[in-house]
Amino acid sequence: GSVQIRVTVSEPDATGQRTAQVHSRPQDAAPGTPFTRHTSARLSQEAPAPDFDLTQWPPPGATPVPEAAQHAYGQLEKTGYGYGPAFRGLRAAWTLGPDVYAEVTLPEEAGRPEGYGLHPALLDACLHAGVFREREGGASEQPLMLPFAWNDVRLYATGATTLRVRLSFEGSDSVTVRLADATGAPVASVDSLVSRPVSGELGRGRGDASREQLFRVAWGPTSVKRQGAALDAVPVATAEDVRAVAEAGDAPEVLLLDVVGDDASAAEVRELTTRVLEVVQAWSTEPRLQDTRLLAVTHGAVAVTADEELSDLPAAAAAGLLRSAQAENPRRIVLIDTDDSARSLDALPDVLASGELHVAVRNGTILAPRLTRTLPSAGDRPLDPDGTILITGGTGTLGRLVAHHLITHHGARHLLLTAPGADTLHTELTALGAHIRIAACDAADHDALADLLTTIPHTHPLTAVIHTAGIVDDGIITALTPDRLTTVYRPKIDAALNLHHLTQNHHLTHFILFSSASGILGNPGQANYAAANAFLDALAHHRHTHHQPATSLAWGWWG
């Protein structure tokens, strides 16, 4: 991705020197995100005459290194530096006592030297001959080193494409560098370059990526002008109500759809979201209502704080469907969740006039959802290596990735995967050192899942559930049918509810749901998928407020 880079140079101090610093942060960093400082330096205009020359070449008495380039880049790759052609500039090397001499050339793939004091690929290649230095005790293994501090760096000439190099080593981590052109005339010098070994994890680029990639939904106050107007909207509850309003003539400015669920069952989710779908379809396809907005009001379908009860799970699914409908009908649908207090109900007309499309109103305070960067909780419990981990959809793309990750990164040793048999996957995972069982069980079938859970041995009890199963059946809101809702809901919602109810008496440490950002953002063309995943998010919050383990991971782009 893109990166913001900030270079600052101070005014000269009393000695005539300036301070320079280089900072960076991701291009899409949130306001207030601090910059990371990569380097700081002291700059001086003085440039004393060079005190070396490399006109005699190769140096008298130096011992040539056979096949220097091939040997050097093979060794560097083992260490962790896999150089491409633009950086493979080493051509020859010699040793003379503790010093190493080399000849490097700027590869054609690196481009021309114009615009640089010294081309960075050429400078980097000068250090590659360091693999030939003498090591204490004759050690052949070289740790992965990265430059840490450059001291007294001087540039005498520009435009070089071939360099003669002398590397003089001091201790285990410092080297003096002298560079000359093809005639031996000085080009640059470094009195001391100090390097530091780095861990293998850092060397592989495994930084804390979660700092920039993990988000939560936070509800915060939003500014809405209070007008004190009354709500002027025509209530509708069914598609027939919508058609009756259209046929009556004089289309109203706003239709009011009250979205209220009953019990938190899969059947109720289907019934409510089907009714909402039919209302949206009737309203959006009626030409006589093209200037009429739809106001959908839920009651406890979202939680604006971590400990607020989310009381209407079916309506949470309907809200996910409505967010996709919003994306397909820009600025025509307003979605409000209310606590039903008098002050909140009085605020509904103000929200309609404000242009906000999705808010929650609590005791008259209007809150809007925003994505905020976050980090994993430091208090997360580790997985029990002796417990059984159940993965639904275990032989699918996500299930396979999760199974590998659990074994190789978390030390999992007992996995139960629900899906049709897959002998190849069983062999592959078993080879990693885990006990694998693949059961042809549909987690959306309550009785089948209940039977499967009884087969888990007491010696390795069920301690974690990871629900990855899912199916997509994408289509714009007007193309969806109740059957297409069921296609997506069954592996997502039905299975999740079965897992929720049937594991109540198991001592779980983790209950992880693979959800989707579509449930939060409302992807166009995915209203059924958005609804299913919004329900998973709501179920996780419901479990959380009842002191049960729950994590809903609303994944973005799978790539």
Side-chain angles (χ1 to χ4, degrees), residues 52-59 164 180-186:
F52 69 97
D53 73 74
L54 299 175
T55 54
Q56 292 190 14
W57 196 257
R164 297 175 179 180
D181 63 17
T183 69

Side-chain angles (χ1 to χ4, degrees), residues 444-469:
D445 184 327
H446 181 278
D447 294 340
L449 181 60
D451 290 342
L452 177 66
L453 294 180
T454 63
T455 67
I456 297 175
H458 295 294
T459 51
H460 301 289
L462 182 67
T463 55
V465 169
I466 303 180
H467 181 35
T468 75

Side-chain angles (χ1 to χ4, degrees), residues 85-146:
F87 282 84
R88 290 178 175 248
L90 181 64
R91 295 293 177 261
W94 299 261
T95 59
L96 181 60
D99 292 348
V100 175
Y101 294 81
E103 187 171 288
V104 299
T105 299
L106 183 65
E108 183 177 345
E109 292 86 349
R112 302 299 303 161
E114 287 78 12
Y116 298 99
L118 181 58
H119 196 290
L122 190 63
L123 174 61
D124 197 71
C126 295
L127 305 176
H128 299 171
V131 299
F132 301 121
R133 65 172 298 187
E134 291 182 349
R135 303 196 177 276
E136 295 181 4
S140 58
E141 291 296 322
Q142 176 178 319
L144 181 62
M145 307 285 285
L146 288 178

Side-chain angles (χ1 to χ4, degrees), residues 239 242-243 246 255 276-294 325-326 328-330 332-333 476-480:
V242 174
R243 286 188 281 270
L255 295 182
V276 170
L277 172 66
E278 291 172 347
V279 168
V280 171
Q281 288 175 330
W283 161 78
S284 63
T285 57
E286 175 54 68
R288 289 169 291 187
L289 299 177
Q290 62 181 355
D291 295 323
T292 298
R293 288 191 293 167
L294 178 65
Q326 282 182 317
E328 296 179 28
N329 297 270
R332 295 192 65 205
I333 300 177
I476 60 174
I477 198 82
T478 53
L480 294 183

Side-chain angles (χ1 to χ4, degrees), residues 247-323:
E247 291 169 1
D250 295 328
E253 290 187 6
V254 180
L255 295 182
L256 172 61
L257 174 63
D258 204 32
V259 182
V260 181
D262 193 358
D263 63 292
S265 67
E268 176 63 16
V269 173
R270 284 176 175 76
E271 182 178 338
L272 179 61
T273 55
T274 295
R275 179 170 64 85
V276 170
L277 172 66
E278 291 172 347
V279 168
V280 171
Q281 288 175 330
W283 161 78
S284 63
T285 57
E286 175 54 68
R288 289 169 291 187
L289 299 177
Q290 62 181 355
D291 295 323
T292 298
R293 288 191 293 167
L294 178 65
L295 169 60
V297 179
T298 59
H299 312 262
V302 300
V304 299
T305 63
D307 56 357
E308 182 182 33
E309 177 69 27
L310 195 157
S311 57
D312 195 340
L313 270 70
L321 184 147
L322 285 163
R323 282 191 286 274

Side-chain angles (χ1 to χ4, degrees), residues 20-111:
Q21 295 185 332
V22 180
H23 294 75
S24 80
R25 69 178 183 181
Q27 175 65 33
D28 61 350
T33 301
F35 279 82
T36 297
R37 190 183 72 181
H38 296 283
T39 188
S40 60
R42 299 285 291 170
L43 305 179
S44 174
Q45 291 189 0
E46 67 176 32
D51 57 359
F52 69 97
D53 73 74
L54 299 175
T55 54
Q56 292 190 14
W57 196 257
T63 302
V65 177
E67 299 181 334
Q70 180 179 350
H71 179 81
Y73 291 114
Q75 180 63 41
L76 286 166
E77 189 159 0
K78 291 178 183 178
T79 304
Y81 278 112
Y83 284 105
F87 282 84
R88 290 178 175 248
L90 181 64
R91 295 293 177 261
W94 299 261
T95 59
L96 181 60
D99 292 348
V100 175
Y101 294 81
E103 187 171 288
V104 299
T105 299
L106 183 65
E108 183 177 345
E109 292 86 349

